[in-house]
Amino acid sequence: MFHQYFPICVALVVLVAGDNGNETTSDPKPSTKLPLVTTTSTPYTPSKDPITNLYALKSQDGNYCIMVKAALRLGFQYKNPDDKDLFGYVDIPGEKNGTLVTGNCSVVNNAQVLILKFLNNWSMNFTFKQNTTLKEYNLESISIKYDIQHNNQPFPDAKSLNGETTFAMEDGHVKVLGSYMCFSQRVFNINSNSSEKLGLMNLTTINEQYQAFVNVSEIFFSQAVKRCDQDSVSNLIPIVVGAALCALIVLVLVAYLIGRHHKRGYESV
Ligand SMILES: *[C@@H]1O[C@H](CO)[C@@H](O)[C@H](O)[C@H]1NC(C)=O
Ligand SMILES: *[C@@H]1O[C@H](CO)[C@@H](O)[C@H](O)[C@H]1NC(C)=O
Ligand SMILES: *[C@@H]1O[C@H](CO)[C@@H](O)[C@H](O)[C@H]1NC(C)=O
Ligand SMILES: *[C@@H]1O[C@H](CO)[C@@H](O)[C@H](O)[C@H]1NC(C)=O
Ligand SMILES: *[C@@H]1O[C@H](CO)[C@@H](O)[C@H](O)[C@H]1NC(C)=O
Ligand SMILES: *[C@@H]1O[C@H](CO)[C@@H](O)[C@H](O)[C@H]1NC(C)=O
Ligand SMILES: *[C@@H]1O[C@H](CO)[C@@H](O)[C@H](O)[C@H]1NC(C)=O
Ligand SMILES: *[C@@H]1O[C@H](CO)[C@@H](O)[C@H](O)[C@H]1NC(C)=O
Ligand SMILES: *[C@@H]1O[C@H](CO)[C@@H](O)[C@H](O)[C@H]1NC(C)=O
C-alpha cells in the first residue's frame, strides 16, 4: 500500500535537488526554444497586468548576442496641468506592439548594450559587462529615458515631463554561456528626481531571464542558470513539504515493517 507514495517522495526529492535556487553546472545546451517575433506597428495601449516579452538583439551575421525576457513595468509620479499629483504605470511593450530592439553586439570596453525604443523617444538600455579573466558577466546597469507629453500616450492628462535615469543592478555575476533567471516579482525603487518626488519612481520586473555575450542562431536560454535570492526563498516551501512527506512515509513504513515483524514472530510460535 505504500509503494504508490514512493514515486511522489522521489519526485519531490528530485524536484528539490534540481531546483535549489543555486547555480547549476549542467552544460549550456539549448533548452527553451522560444518563438521568433516579427515586427508590426500597432498603437500603444497600457495593460492591467504586465505581459512577459522577449527582446533579442541580432548581430550583423544574423546570430543573437543578447536575449532579455521579462515583464517590465515603470511607475511614474507626475502632475496634471492643474498641478495635481498623479501616479501611473507604463508597461514596456513587446516588439509586436511597437518596441524596437537595437544596440550593438560588438563588445566595447568589455560591455554589450541592448536598447529598447518605445512610445515617443523613450528608451531603456541594458548594459552588460564581462570579465574575461573570470569568464563571468553581469547586468551592470539599466538606463531609462522617458518623455511624458501632454495629450500623448501614456499619460495624456500629464504636464510634460522628461528625464533620464541610470541605476546599477545588483544581480551578481553569471558564468559566460550561462543565464540569469528571476521568476519572482522585484521592485526597484528609483527616485529620478532628488529635488522633487517627480518622474520615474520604480521599475517592476517579473519572469525575468537574460543572457548576454552569446552567439546563437536561435533564441534559447542556457540551462546553466543563476537564480535570484527571491526565487530561492519561494523554493523553501517545496523543500519543507517534500521533507515532511518523506519523513512521514518513512515513519509509516518503519511502523508497518515492525508490525509485520511482530505478527510473523507470533505466527511462527
Ligand atoms: C550555492 O553555491 C555556492 C558556491 O557554488 C555555495 O557557496 C552556496 O553555499 C550554495 N548555496 C546553497 C543554498 O546551496
Ligand atoms: C499588445 O498589447 C496589448 C495590451 O497591452 C496586449 O493585450 C496584446 O497581447 C499585445 N500584443 C502583442 C502581440 O504582444
Ligand atoms: C558597433 O560598434 C562597433 C565598434 O564600436 C562599430 O564599429 C559599429 O559601427 C557599430 N555598429 C552599429 C550598427 O552601430
Ligand atoms: C524625439 O526627439 C527628437 C530629437 O530629440 C525630436 O526632434 C522629435 O520631435 C522627438 N519626437 C517625438 C515624437 O517627440
Ligand atoms: C575581473 O575580476 C578580477 C577579480 O575580481 C579583477 O581583479 C579584475 O579587475 C576584473 N577585470 C575586469 C576587466 O573588470
Ligand atoms: C542608450 O544607448 C544609446 C546608444 O548608446 C544612447 O544614445 C542613449 O542615450 C542611451 N539611452 C539611455 C537612456 O541611456
Ligand atoms: C525634477 O524636478 C524639477 C522641479 O520640479 C524639474 O524642473 C525637473 O525637470 C525634474 N527633473 C526630472 C528628471 O524629472
Ligand atoms: C512605485 O512607487 C509608488 C510611489 O512611491 C508607489 O505608490 C507604488 O506602490 C510603487 N510600486 C510598487 C510596485 O511598489
Ligand atoms: C558567431 O558565429 C558565427 C557562426 O555561426 C560566426 O561566423 C561569427 O563570426 C560568430 N561571431 C562572433 C562575434 O563570434
Side-chain angles (χ1 to χ4, degrees):
M1 75 180 276
F2 298 102
H3 66 277
Q4 71 215 52
Y5 291 105
F6 270 99
I8 301 168
C9 184
V10 168
L12 272 164
V13 168
V14 168
L15 188 85
V16 163
D19 195 18
N20 62 358
N22 214 334
E23 203 164 348
T24 54
T25 47
S26 59
D27 50 28
K29 281 208 183 87
S31 55
T32 358
K33 271 194 186 169
L34 293 154
L36 292 167
V37 278
T38 49
T39 314
T40 54
S41 206
T42 42
Y44 171 78
T45 42
S47 66
K48 285 256 154 59
D49 301 304
I51 295 165
T52 303
N53 288 302
L54 173 70
Y55 309 102
L57 178 62
K58 226 178 201 172
S59 66
Q60 264 145 353
D61 56 35
N63 283 357
Y64 297 95
C65 63
I66 306 176
M67 298 168 289
V68 175
K69 189 191 75 171
L72 302 164
R73 173 168 279 185
L74 304 169
F76 287 92
Q77 189 74 50
Y78 62 94
K79 287 179 189 294
N80 73 3
D82 300 327
D83 271 344
K84 190 183 171 221
D85 289 311
L86 296 166
F87 186 85
Y89 289 108
V90 171
D91 293 349
I92 315 289
E95 280 191 281
K96 281 183 182 167
N97 274 343
T99 292
L100 179 72
V101 180
T102 62
N104 197 327
C105 284
S106 305
V107 179
V108 179
N109 293 328
N110 284 318
Q112 222 174 28
V113 185
L114 177 127
I115 303 166
L116 302 180
K117 291 190 169 173
F118 52 100
L119 295 174
N120 293 322
N121 283 343
W122 290 49
S123 67
M124 185 164 177
N125 290 8
F126 296 78
T127 302
F128 296 90
K129 202 103 188 220
Q130 70 176 355
N131 186 317
T132 48
T133 320
L134 299 175
K135 293 189 164 60
E136 286 179 349
Y137 72 93
N138 69 324
L139 174 54
E140 189 186 50
S141 62
I142 290 179
S143 191
I144 297 157
K145 197 159 88 184
Y146 61 92
D147 190 2
I148 297 167
Q149 293 172 353
H150 185 58
N151 278 336
N152 246 322
Q153 292 279 22
F155 309 125
D157 58 345
K159 202 159 79 173
S160 296
L161 177 74
N162 59 58
E164 193 170 331
T165 305
T166 301
F167 57 97
M169 293 293 287
E170 311 277 339
D171 286 351
H173 293 254
V174 187
K175 287 265 172 270
V176 165
L177 298 181
S179 68
Y180 185 87
M181 188 193 274
C182 194
F183 279 145
S184 306
Q185 172 175 308
R186 294 191 293 174
V187 179
F188 301 92
N189 292 310
I190 314 146
N191 197 354
S192 63
N193 200 331
S194 49
S195 62
E196 203 180 332
K197 264 192 170 268
L198 204 63
L200 180 58
M201 300 305 288
N202 43 38
L203 163 69
T204 304
T205 66
I206 312 166
N207 284 333
E208 194 178 22
Q209 186 164 19
Y210 58 74
Q211 185 167 6
F213 302 105
V214 279
N215 183 19
V216 287
S217 57
E218 280 183 86
I219 300 171
F220 64 84
F221 288 97
S222 167
Q223 264 183 317
V225 169
K226 184 186 172 79
R227 296 287 287 268
C228 60
D229 295 342
Q230 288 86 342
D231 282 0
S232 315
V233 170
S234 64
N235 282 341
L236 283 177
I237 295 154
I239 291 170
V240 170
V241 171
L245 199 72
C246 287
L248 193 74
I249 288 166
V250 168
L251 208 74
V252 170
L253 186 74
V254 166
Y256 168 76
L257 288 174
I258 290 170
R260 202 172 65 165
H261 179 78
H262 277 206
K263 202 176 164 199
R264 196 180 285 165
Y266 290 129
E267 275 167 358
S268 63
V269 169

